[in-house]
Amino acid sequence: MRLLIFGPPGSGKGTRARLISRLLKIPVITTGDMLRGEVSRETEVGLRAKAYMERGELVPDELVIELVEERLRREDCSEGFILDGFPRTLRQADALDRILGERGVTLDLVLNIVVDPEVVVERLSLRRWCPRCGAIYNLKYDPPRVDEICDECGAQLIQRSDDREEVVRRRLRVYEEQTRPILERYMERSLVREMRGDIPIEEIPREVEEVLGPYLGNHLD
Ligand code: AMP
C-alpha cells in the first residue's frame, strides 16, 4: 500500500505514520528526518538545506526530490510505503507522479490531518525530540518517564530550533501557501480521507484503524 500523510507541522503526522507502519509493515519515509540527518552529518545536501530549515522555509525541490527518489528505489519499499512530509509543493507532487508512473504504480490513499493552527503552536512549543533515535515527546501530553531523557535510548532530548514560536508560525504560513494546494489534486482523484488532529494521543490508534479498516484485513495480528 502506498500512502501519503498530509497536515500542517505538529498535526501528528509522525505519530500516525509510525503506527500505520507497524500495522501494515511498510516503511515510513520522513523527509524532515532525512534532511535533519543530512544536516547533522554535514553532507553537501545538509549544508545546502540547513539555512532554509532554520528559517522554517522549504528547501529547494530538487534536493528533496532526489533524496526521496533514491529512498523509494530501496528494496523495503517494494510492498509499499508511507510518505510523511512529501510532497510539499506542486513540483514535488509532479515528481512523485512521475516516479510512481515509471514503476506502473499509483497512490492508494492520502490521509489529511485537520487541526487548528493555535493547537499546533502550543503543541510544538512543548515538543521534544531525540536526536539519536528520532523518538518524539510532548512535555504536557506525552512526557518521557525521566525528565528530558529519551525512554527508548536514554539520550538527552532537545527542542528543534524550528519549533520556536516565530518559526512555527512561518512554517504554518508556508504550509497554507505551498502545500495545502496540492490536496486539491488528490481530492480530484478521490484519494483523500480526513483525520482529526486534535484528539487525545491514546485515541489515535482507534482513529487510524477506523480509517484504514478496509486495508488492514490481512495485516492485523
Ligand atoms: P518537518 O519535520 O516535516 O516539519 O520538516 C522540517 C523542515 O525540513 C521543513 O520546515 C523544511 O525546511 C524541510 N523539509 C522537510 N520536508 C520537505 C519537503 N518535502 N520539501 C521541502 N522542504 C522540506
Side-chain angles (χ1 to χ4, degrees):
M1 178 164 183
R2 287 167 291 273
L3 60 97
L4 306 185
I5 297 215
F6 252 84
S11 56
K13 296 191 292 291
T15 307
R16 287 164 178 78
R18 280 190 297 278
L19 211 67
I20 296 169
S21 163
R22 278 202 298 275
L23 284 170
L24 298 178
K25 301 181 176 62
I26 49 177
V28 185
I29 298 164
T30 306
T31 46
D33 285 349
M34 290 168 83
L35 287 165
R36 280 184 286 280
E38 300 282 331
V39 170
S40 66
R41 291 196 304 281
E42 299 185 342
T43 63
E44 202 177 310
V45 170
L47 293 174
R48 285 187 61 195
K50 189 170 183 216
Y52 295 96
M53 295 174 74
E54 281 174 353
R55 287 195 301 266
E57 292 169 13
L58 296 181
V59 311
D61 286 327
E62 65 275 11
L63 290 187
V64 194
I65 291 169
E66 209 179 305
L67 281 182
V68 170
E69 186 157 13
E70 205 182 296
R71 178 67 187 83
L72 287 176
R73 262 193 229 117
R74 286 210 227 143
E75 177 57 29
D76 64 342
C77 294
S78 59
E79 294 296 311
F81 50 80
I82 305 161
L83 280 170
D84 163 9
F86 182 94
R88 268 194 128 102
T89 63
L90 288 169
R91 251 189 82 200
Q92 292 179 19
D94 286 341
L96 182 62
D97 283 345
R98 171 186 61 76
I99 294 166
L100 298 180
E102 283 168 5
R103 295 165 191 203
V105 295
T106 53
L107 285 174
D108 297 295
L109 191 63
V110 174
L111 298 178
N112 180 35
I113 309 175
V114 181
V115 64
D116 183 314
E118 290 310 313
V119 171
V120 164
V121 173
E122 195 219 3
R123 198 183 272 170
L124 290 188
S125 68
L126 295 168
R127 179 159 83 172
R128 294 294 179 273
W129 176 67
C130 173
R132 193 188 295 161
C133 74
I136 291 168
Y137 301 86
N138 183 291
L139 296 183
K140 186 161 152 196
Y141 303 108
D142 182 25
R145 284 191 295 270
V146 180
D147 223 17
E148 305 278 337
I149 299 292
C150 180
D151 291 349
E152 311 285 330
C153 73
Q156 173 83 39
L157 301 178
I158 56 172
Q159 179 176 40
R160 279 170 43 180
S161 57
D162 60 350
D163 278 349
R164 285 174 295 125
E165 179 170 345
E166 74 276 15
V167 185
V168 169
R169 291 198 187 275
R170 180 168 315 131
R171 288 163 66 202
L172 284 167
R173 273 201 303 281
V174 167
Y175 177 79
E176 286 301 321
E177 288 165 15
Q178 304 194 50
T179 305
R180 190 191 286 283
I182 308 174
L183 262 183
E184 272 164 40
R185 161 182 308 204
Y186 297 120
M187 278 174 177
E188 280 162 17
R189 297 182 196 167
S190 303
L191 289 175
V192 180
R193 293 287 313 268
E194 285 196 349
M195 288 183 139
R196 288 187 49 189
D198 58 356
I199 58 172
I201 197 159
E202 58 276 11
E203 286 177 24
I204 295 176
R206 193 164 46 89
E207 186 200 35
V208 163
E209 286 183 16
E210 244 171 62
V211 171
L212 287 185
Y215 303 92
L216 286 176
N218 40 19
H219 291 279
L220 280 178
D221 296 328

